[in-house]
Amino acid sequence: MEGLKKDVIRHVVSSLGSDYASKSAYNYYNALALAVRDRLIDNWIKTQRSYYDEKAKRVYYLSLEYLPGKSLMNNLHCLGIYETARKAMSDLGFSLEDLAEQEWDAGLGNGGLGRLASCFLDSMATLGIPGYGYGIRYDYGIFHQVIEDGKQVEQADNWMRVGNPWAYERGQHLFPVRFFGEVKNWTDEYGRLRHTWTAGDTVLAMPCDMLVPGWDNHHVINMRLWSARSDVEFDLDFFNTGNYLGAVEEKIFDEKISKVLYPSDQIEEGRELRLKQQYFFVTATIQDILRRFRKKHQDMTELPQSVAIQLNDTHPAIAIAELMRILLDEDLLDWEVAWDICVSTFAYTNHTILPEALETWPVSLLERMLPRHMQIIYEINARFLREVERVARSEDCGQLCHRDLDHLKQRVSLIQERPIKSVRMAHLAIIGSHSVNGVAALHTELLKARVFDDFQRLYPQKINNKTNGVTPRRWLWSANQPLSRLIASHIGTGFVRNLDELTQLEPLAADPAFREAWRAAKLENKQRLQAYIKRKLMRELHTEHLFDVHIKRIHEYKRQVLNLLHVVTAYNRLRHGQAADFTPRTVFFGGKAAPSYFMAKRIIHAINAVAATVNADSRVNDKLQVVYLPNYCVSQAERVIPATELSEQISTAGMEASGTGNMKFALNGALTIGTWDGATIEMAQAIGPELLFIFGMREDELVSLRQHGYNPMLYYHGDEELREALDMLRSDAFSPGQHGLFAPLVDNLLHGGDRFFVLADYRQYLGAQQDVGRLYLDQEEWTRRSILNAARMGFFSSDRAISQYAREIWDVAPMAGLQNGKGA
Ligand code: 26V
């Protein structure tokens, strides 16, 4: 402890240039972070060296998004120095919790996809897998959300303004990135046609490394994020021509590339700067991968034995064309050889089946920005379609006439003609990869049967499932110390590395003393949340209420509106004196809406309007409260999830690819009210469906309802409570003086076809909520179920997910000597 104290003081003085006697929390947080980083870097260097020494196959996880959140507490826990640090900082006059508050969340992602990437890096580090995360260091992460007059207002998230003590910026290792320009043809000595892309503009990519430690194992992996740097300052001529201001302007223009994260998910916007971000990130990453590979290899055909590249959705899929370009134009390999290398190296994960989220890029834009890549994509397509034709004809399918073949080719082509000629990035990713995986069982089945059914027929082995998981280090151990300590006192700490060990809790569910201790841990977390809400929102929570929580991105398919209709109905019953047996509850909502997503923003407004009305109504507000948590982010989730008793997972069946929040809640002892969707299905199967509150129509039922003509008006006319709730929303009951403010929401349900079947599930949802309220009155039974929920969540560790990727997709093994947590 004395060593850590000395290091912290030294960093306050020599790294931060401050007087250690001026007790600034900001300085002491930064100094502590630097002292922790010192303790990581040796192991990082040793880890990297061991990969070379053991000629380990490396995994590269390519993701445009990461959501690491805060690093301090996680790193202290991984290093096993949390208690030491707590004492050391307390000696220096600080509470560790207060210091941790100084850190800004690294919010370099939108939601589930980015957080999954961060959980996966944690698991690779913990399992000893030789892995790297590659991404972009956005200057501005996901916007900061404030709620003004009930509405979302976006503020810039200048997360690096306060400095980032965790990152190593490597300004001396720059990689060139080219855009535009033209392609020249030439003939090589064997008379073969060759191509050279001569650049237009050049930008530089600078690596910034963030260290990711494993749990108690000395294995530290790297998240390398690229930042755009102009090459203008390296080109003195630019300044010397006398156009100084012009040169500076160009510099600013170039560096725009890594300026900001696109804050929308599920809605594809197709902007030029976004494509630039993708290629910038991809080419820098591929150059870095090949640089490392070429240190030990000359023969490029050995690449798939040494390197596995996982594409996190299609955002980095242009990597397939980039690797082809390098192999063809720089290494001068033949097409077939190059293509084999690519397909064996790449694997692709799909994260959504919503058609509006499937990426396409206009051919005209690609031709201009990446002319050689566009040529390569055309060539990939031509060869692929010939192969499709060959396979289709070789099959003995009598009904396959020419017309069908043409249709098949149109459907699977990399190029779509309408509304504008574009490249389908998912098709490129599928054809260029040896593995295509979905992220939960149902999601994968839907990929096979619907979204990519033609590809499933063409390559029956390619599509596979890897159900998501979450890291127990952050989402149980670090976020929920009261519960973790209780668990550890009965079954030891092995569950942090091997989550299956939680099954040892099962017999304890029958033990009244353990149940009481379990409830006490939950209450402690509820009280912590109460204190936080009081500080931040100046609101007093009732900790005896059932805490009912719905936090995730705001999207129509996630159906926050369904939850809101339940709240309005509960409000009406209470007002009308029809709810004598109502179980008091506080309903929490939290989440960001894409700034351009009108309906999602209006949903936020409606939630806040209902909250204001309900909370101000003294007839009901001792029994029902609604809280909107502004600026939902990773660190807020870490506070809220441990305090949650009821987890809302109520997406339209078939729409939520997996969900990972669902797992975090159950792991922390919340019961789930949910639809038969995403990984919630597998959770119900692992836990026992009777221990969750499952309701609503299933995916196949919705398909047939749609086919037979879904008429939301039938539900409106047939259900008095539903009608009352919708009529109130449409009137000015929650928006005094602003009649019609929420009419778009209601009209969308009643006259816009209710694409996400909110009305169809309303009555069943109410029934399930009634069951929830009733069970909560029986605290012993509630607690028993809560314990069994957590005890059966072992499968949903990201360690299990990553082990499956490693074995079934990447063919990589953990580094020897690290598997049992014995440090190398
Ligand atoms: C799409 C787009 C479209 C263009 C603009 C930027 C952008 C950014 C992200 C996305 C993909 C969103 C897909 C996504 O986040 N899917 C979520 O992935 C989670 C991890 O697999 C999964 O748990 C969620 O169910 C799924 O919605």
Side-chain angles (χ1 to χ4, degrees), residues 561-579 582 585 587 589 610 614 620 624 626 719-729 734 758-759 761-767 769-770:
V561 167
L562 180 58
N563 188 340
L564 193 63
L565 287 172
H566 167 249
V567 171
V568 172
T569 305
Y571 175 57
N572 290 338
R573 290 180 184 174
L574 286 166
R575 288 189 301 136
H576 302 328
Q578 295 164 345
F582 185 79
R585 68 165 89 197
V587 184
F589 290 89
V610 170
V614 171
V620 307
L624 181 62
V626 184
D719 191 322
E720 210 173 301
E721 285 190 306
L722 175 61
R723 197 163 60 241
E724 185 183 5
L726 287 170
D727 288 349
M728 280 171 78
L729 266 181
F734 302 111
V758 174
L759 302 197
D761 275 345
Y762 167 82
R763 192 36 64 182
Q764 270 207 50
Y765 179 54
L766 249 57
Q769 287 288 20
Q770 191 93 35

Side-chain angles (χ1 to χ4, degrees), residues 383-402:
R383 288 169 183 257
F384 167 64
L385 292 180
R386 281 202 293 276
E387 175 71 7
V388 169
E389 194 160 333
R390 196 186 59 74
V391 171
R393 286 189 196 285
S394 73
E395 269 178 40
D396 182 27
C397 39
Q399 77 272 43
L400 189 78
C401 62
H402 256 303

Side-chain angles (χ1 to χ4, degrees), residues 376-443:
I376 290 172
I377 289 170
Y378 273 134
E379 182 65 23
I380 294 172
N381 197 36
R383 288 169 183 257
F384 167 64
L385 292 180
R386 281 202 293 276
E387 175 71 7
V388 169
E389 194 160 333
R390 196 186 59 74
V391 171
R393 286 189 196 285
S394 73
E395 269 178 40
D396 182 27
C397 39
Q399 77 272 43
L400 189 78
C401 62
H402 256 303
R403 224 178 86 91
D404 285 333
L405 181 58
D406 282 348
H407 277 145
L408 173 64
K409 282 163 68 178
Q410 275 169 31
R411 288 198 305 271
V412 297
S413 172
L414 295 195
I415 309 295
Q416 103 192 352
E417 297 293 332
R418 265 170 289 276
I420 49 168
K421 197 168 174 185
S422 310
V423 177
R424 297 164 166 152
M425 300 308 275
H427 293 198
L428 175 61
I430 295 171
I431 298 166
S433 299
H434 64 282
S435 161
V436 174
N437 76 281
V439 290
L442 174 66
H443 170 59

